[in-house]
Structures are given as C-alpha cells and as structure tokens.
Amino acid sequence: MKWEGNRESDNVEDRRGSGGGGGMPVFGGRSIGIGTIVIALVGGWVLGINPLTILGLLSGGGMPAQVQQAPAQRPPADDTMARFVSTVLADTEDVWQRVFREGGGRYQEPRLVLFRGATPTACGTGQAAMGPFYCPADQKVYIDLGFYETLKSRLGAPGDFAQAYVIAHEVGHHVQHLLGITSKVDQMRGRVSQKEYNAMSVRLELQADCFAGVWAHHAQNARQILEQGDVEEAMNAAARIGDDALQRASGGAVVPDSFTHGSSAQRQRWFHTGLKQGSVQACDTFSARSL
Ligand SMILES: [Zn+2]
C-alpha cells in the first residue's frame, strides 16, 4: 500500500505512554497469554463491535456516565506503525466525508485510540485480547497495535493492506453507527433468540467488511493507494478471521449458528463487493437473500 507522505489524522489519541494497562494485574504490560487471545478470538471478538453488552458485564454492568480521559496525545513522528494507522484513518475520513456529502449528509469523524493492554472506554474497560473494536457510545476505534503481530503470526494474515483493512472495518462500524444501523440491531437484543441475534450480528459485521471495501474503492480512485498483492492481503485477512476459520484453528467444531462475524467466504465476498461497487447501497447485507 502506498501511504508514506499522505495526510495523517488529527483524531488519533495515543494512550500508550500513559501507563497503558500497567495497573491491570491480568493484562498488564505485554504479558497476555496466548490462550486468552485465542479464546477471545474464538469468542467472536476479532474486529468486534459492541462491547456495549459484553464489556458491560465484564466491568460489573452498567455503563459509566463519564469516561475519564487522558488528554489526547499524538503518536511520535518516528513511530512508523502509529503513523501508518493515522494515515489510514485520515484516508477513511476523506473518503467517508465525500460519500456522506454526496448523499446529502455530513460525516462526523471518529477518533482512534492507541492503547496497550487495557484502557477505559464508554463501553467499559477495553482489553487488547478482544482485538480492535469500535465503541459507539464514545465513537472511538480502539486498537492495541500488538494485534497486528497476532494477525500476521498467529492468524496468518501479513501485509500492510491487511492492517489497513482492520482499521477500515472498524471505521465501517462507525459509519453504521452514524446511519443508525447499530442501534437498530442493538434493540433486537433480548427480543430475539440468541441464534437470531447472532445472524443479525453476522449481517452487521459483513456490512462493516463491505464498507471497508467501499473505502478501498474510493481511496484507490482518488489516490491510487493499491500496490501489487494488496487486495489479496485483505482478502486473505478476511478469510483468516472468518468464524469457521477461527473455530477450526482453535481445534473446535465449526458451528454456523454460533457465528457472529460470518464465514471466511462471506467476509471475502462482502469486502470484495464493496471494493468493486464502491457504494453504500451495494452493502445492504440486511436485505440480501444470500450472504
Ligand atoms: Zn466488526
């Protein structure tokens, strides 16, 4: 991916220097057990949205009215990985601003938080072991950059464009939040069976994959960011984090009813649909007869 020299976002909040998860006995420092990560991944947390419910449980229920926030701090200039994330975020801002404007709306930019180990969010305490996630309540994307090592080494999805896809997917959740889609799905929780709720979660996640593709489509048209092999990197990542692939990798049985993000083939298909078509309308996973 060609990104060096492109604009960096002003919406990155670097919390890595402020003690990170230092006070956390379990997730402190970099000593996250790989077992925990694997369990969290299989639990459907990879690129998860919605810490609203589960994070609420973890932190003792209820959402904090006000989240204490350290003042935003920009990442250091010599931190290539942070600069990369910041550049990708800026690119999503440019694309979605245009897409919203052309649709007669206004795009509100999300913020992106870099953290280590654990960090407070409006959705409860965010843990690195959950993988990157988006919290609708504070409109922030959270990522511990250590996830990229997991993505490359444990999940077999290397490459900078695979890393960009992760950010674009989370920003896709922000777009869903702005469009009111997330809250509609949330309202169904508890009113439908777990199986039905999982099925809706899959449609939500596949739409976020499709929106990631929409971003790539417009970024390519405007800035020619793609290099040889980039699309394959994203398609490979989409496959590696499919629910069936994760369940198989954990040595367990593949149980489609328990899927929350979609199968490898579905994730690839919807990312590719967004990439080819470049429109929000093409990403209507909720009306799609077959995913
Ligand atoms: Zn997601």
Side-chain angles (χ1 to χ4, degrees), residues 19 21 23 50 52 123 128 141 176 251 256 278 282:
N50 123 61
L52 279 175
C123 299
V141 170
Q176 291 175 314

Side-chain angles (χ1 to χ4, degrees), residues 249-261:
S250 75
V254 173
V255 185
D257 281 354
S258 71
F259 287 2
T260 53
H261 286 66

Side-chain angles (χ1 to χ4, degrees), residues 125-136:
T125 301
Q127 308 277 8
M130 294 161 180
F133 63 92
Y134 171 72
C135 171

Side-chain angles (χ1 to χ4, degrees), residues 208-284:
D209 284 335
C210 189
F211 285 172
V214 169
W215 161 70
H217 174 99
H218 291 282
Q220 173 64 4
N221 281 353
R223 283 171 289 283
Q224 290 79 49
I225 59 163
L226 293 176
E227 292 176 308
Q228 185 90 38
D230 277 348
V231 171
E232 289 76 11
E233 282 172 11
M235 290 292 275
N236 175 56
R240 298 295 182 138
I241 56 180
D243 286 323
D244 49 345
L246 289 175
Q247 288 182 349
R248 226 173 275 123
S250 75
V254 173
V255 185
D257 281 354
S258 71
F259 287 2
T260 53
H261 286 66
S263 70
S264 301
Q266 289 170 336
R267 299 198 71 159
Q268 288 189 315
R269 192 178 307 138
W270 283 100
F271 173 77
H272 201 253
T273 296
L275 178 65
K276 285 284 149 217
Q277 316 249 350
S279 81
V280 167
Q281 291 74 16
C283 297
D284 189 357

Side-chain angles (χ1 to χ4, degrees), residues 45-49 132 169-170 173 176 204-205 208-209 261 267:
W45 279 105
V46 106
L47 308 188
I49 188 187
H169 172 98
E170 298 308 333
H173 283 312
Q176 291 175 314
L204 193 70
E205 293 296 336
D209 284 335
H261 286 66
R267 299 198 71 159

Side-chain angles (χ1 to χ4, degrees), residues 117-220:
T119 196
T121 83
C123 299
T125 301
Q127 308 277 8
M130 294 161 180
F133 63 92
Y134 171 72
C135 171
D138 56 21
Q139 304 195 28
K140 293 180 183 182
V141 170
Y142 291 87
I143 182 168
D144 180 323
L145 294 178
F147 175 75
Y148 283 150
E149 187 53 39
T150 304
L151 188 67
K152 183 172 80 174
S153 309
R154 310 283 316 175
L155 297 171
D160 58 2
F161 202 64
Q163 296 171 343
Y165 155 66
V166 169
I167 303 296
H169 172 98
E170 298 308 333
V171 170
H173 283 312
H174 175 66
V175 171
Q176 291 175 314
H177 171 65
L178 295 179
L179 296 176
I181 297 166
T182 314
S183 62
K184 277 199 185 132
V185 171
D186 264 356
Q187 281 162 16
M188 298 309 287
R189 194 171 188 90
R191 292 162 62 181
V192 295
S193 70
Q194 188 61 44
K195 185 179 152 184
E196 286 168 308
Y197 185 77
N198 287 349
M200 292 186 66
S201 168
V202 166
R203 287 175 190 267
L204 193 70
E205 293 296 336
L206 293 176
Q207 186 174 61
D209 284 335
C210 189
F211 285 172
V214 169
W215 161 70
H217 174 99
H218 291 282
Q220 173 64 4

